[in-house]
Amino acid sequence: MIAEKLKATLLDGSVVAQRIKEQVKAEIEELKTTRNIVPCLAAVRVGEDRASAVYVRNKIAACGEVGIRSEHHALPDSTTTAELLALIRSLNSRDDVDGILTQLPLPKDIDETVVIDAIDPRKDVDGFHPINVGRLSLGRPQLVPCTPAGIIELLDYYKVDIRGVDACVVGRSQIVGRPMVQLLLQRDATVTVCHSRTRDLAAVTRAADLLIVAIGRAGMIGRNHIKPGATVVDVGMNKLTDADAVRGMFGSETDKRLAVLAKRGYTLVGDVNPAEALEVAGKFTPVPGGVGLLTVAMLMKNTLKAAKMRRGLVD
Ligand code: NAP
């Protein structure tokens, strides 16, 4: 008998994101009917970064889908830290605003830390304020960063074991890696964290049943980094513009990806080499179509939660 090459199951983020948005929408309809509350998200964007503009547009569109009122504050590149802080303060003080998100990265002349610290922690729907970071690390989470929270929802939906498993997170950013570690710990995983100074990365990642990768290096994690049968979550979102690189990463999808490259000038790839992951992993999140969609869905969920928390409707 010839053994068939193992093919990983794809964990489809769109199904889970849709489900989260439907739940949020139903709850918002109920809030509106029973208490006349319509949650509101204020999105703040500074400068002309095109990727940021697309991200904010997607977030505003998602608000429309679920019934959240939204405001888009698009400020010019010349905005000073003081001007941005004045806007944040006014959003903090408005009773009709439940969530504030400042799209990162901010222009280099603006101090991101000062801006994040200025957001009212109760309206901090990105979960980046030190109070929310502290609460998460104490195991008392309230508003949790959207990408790692979405990954937990995805794993739960697909019934991936977390408790007791050897989990490895590659990347220690404030946005993804660190909060991911906290959420996995809370769910009783045994967690290892890797970063750019880790010695022999492949030896560490290969020991993991659950491997979560958030590094920002196109296709860097390959078959040698993955334990056969492991669940691999690829958070990376990188633009590939080189046809040879595309040929080395997409296996049977190569022609489709080359067509996308020819049309758009790039194709998206995560931090994991998808063709190799599909051969070795047991479960794998595609890029696009995996984690990215969950981030926006969780932002909707956080905005609803913030609206309820401010009115004493949740603990
Ligand atoms: P980041 O802030 O740049 O952090 C990258 C992390 O990766 C750092 O901790 C860095 O280590 C580590 N790293 C870099 N090179 C490495 C290497 N060769 N070996 C091991 N570790 C390495 O990035 P991020 O904001 O977490 O984002 C990571 C990726 O996820 C990006 O592609 C981003 O676009 C994507 N992302 C996607 C979503 C989504 O919704 N899907 C959301 C957020 C981010 P050091 O700490 O030692 O420097």
Side-chain angles (χ1 to χ4, degrees):
M1 196 173 83
I2 302 166
E4 286 240 343
K5 220 174 203 180
L6 204 91
K7 269 267 177 194
T9 307
L10 286 179
L11 304 180
D12 183 350
S14 65
V15 176
V16 188
Q18 196 53 37
R19 192 161 170 261
I20 294 166
K21 285 193 281 185
E22 276 161 18
Q23 286 164 351
V24 170
K25 184 177 179 184
E27 229 186 292
I28 285 176
E29 274 163 13
E30 198 195 322
L31 267 186
K32 190 174 178 188
T33 317
T34 58
R35 297 176 185 267
N36 201 24
I37 295 169
V38 179
C40 172
L41 175 68
V44 180
R45 179 169 68 85
V46 185
E48 300 308 321
D49 183 68
R50 279 172 63 191
S52 291
V54 173
Y55 290 142
V56 171
R57 208 165 55 223
N58 291 343
K59 290 168 183 178
I60 299 280
C63 285
E65 269 180 66
V66 301
I68 289 175
R69 201 165 64 73
S70 61
E71 291 180 3
H72 182 180
H73 299 265
L75 307 180
D77 239 332
S78 56
T79 305
T80 62
T81 303
E83 286 164 342
L84 182 53
L85 288 177
L87 172 62
I88 300 283
R89 280 191 210 106
S90 88
L91 295 171
N92 281 345
S93 67
R94 276 175 50 192
D95 197 42
D96 63 325
V97 171
D98 296 291
I100 302 169
L101 88 81
T102 308
Q103 187 62 43
L104 303 179
L106 291 167
K108 60 174 177 16
D109 291 337
I110 295 184
D111 187 337
E112 256 175 37
T113 310
V114 175
V115 174
I116 290 170
D117 289 3
I119 295 174
D120 181 340
R122 298 172 310 155
K123 298 188 179 188
D124 169 38
V125 283
D126 271 331
F128 298 158
H129 189 282
I131 295 257
N132 286 320
V133 175
R135 292 192 68 98
L136 177 60
S137 64
L138 290 167
R140 291 159 41 198
Q142 274 186 342
L143 294 170
V144 175
C146 300
T147 303
I151 291 170
I152 296 288
E153 298 258 354
L154 180 83
L155 296 174
D156 284 345
Y157 179 85
Y158 285 103
K159 300 193 169 25
V160 174
D161 282 339
I162 302 177
R163 188 172 203 180
V165 305
D166 288 326
C168 177
V169 179
V170 189
R172 54 176 166 178
S173 70
Q174 302 293 348
I175 294 171
V176 189
R178 283 170 201 254
M180 190 75 248
V181 168
Q182 295 298 339
L183 290 174
L184 290 169
L185 269 181
Q186 247 172 55
R187 294 289 297 270
D188 298 324
T190 303
V191 190
T192 309
V193 197
C194 297
H195 43 76
S196 66
R197 304 284 186 273
T198 298
R199 290 188 196 143
D200 199 352
L201 180 69
V204 183
T205 58
R206 218 166 34 230
D209 306 304
L210 174 56
L211 176 60
I212 297 179
V213 186
I215 50 184
R217 302 267 185 278
M220 197 192 98
I221 298 296
R223 66 167 62 78
N224 294 336
H225 296 85
I226 301 170
K227 180 177 182 174
T231 297
V232 179
V233 176
D234 188 358
V235 185
M237 193 78 82
N238 310 288
K239 282 184 178 177
L240 267 192
T241 52
D242 176 46
D244 284 338
V246 171
R247 285 189 195 94
M249 284 197 202
F250 292 102
S252 61
E253 243 195 49
T254 300
D255 287 345
K256 192 174 130 196
R257 293 303 195 117
L258 285 171
V260 173
L261 176 67
K263 190 172 164 203
R264 285 199 206 142
Y266 69 89
T267 187
L268 284 179
V269 70
D271 294 335
V272 179
N273 180 313
E276 296 186 11
L278 280 171
E279 280 174 24
V280 187
K283 297 188 175 85
F284 177 53
T285 59
V287 176
V291 172
L293 301 165
L294 287 160
T295 301
V296 177
M298 292 310 289
L299 178 68
M300 301 300 109
K301 194 166 171 172
N302 272 355
T303 304
L304 168 62
K305 188 172 184 183
K308 286 165 64 183
M309 275 186 342
R310 278 202 315 126
R311 294 167 176 87
L313 301 175
V314 283
D315 298 335

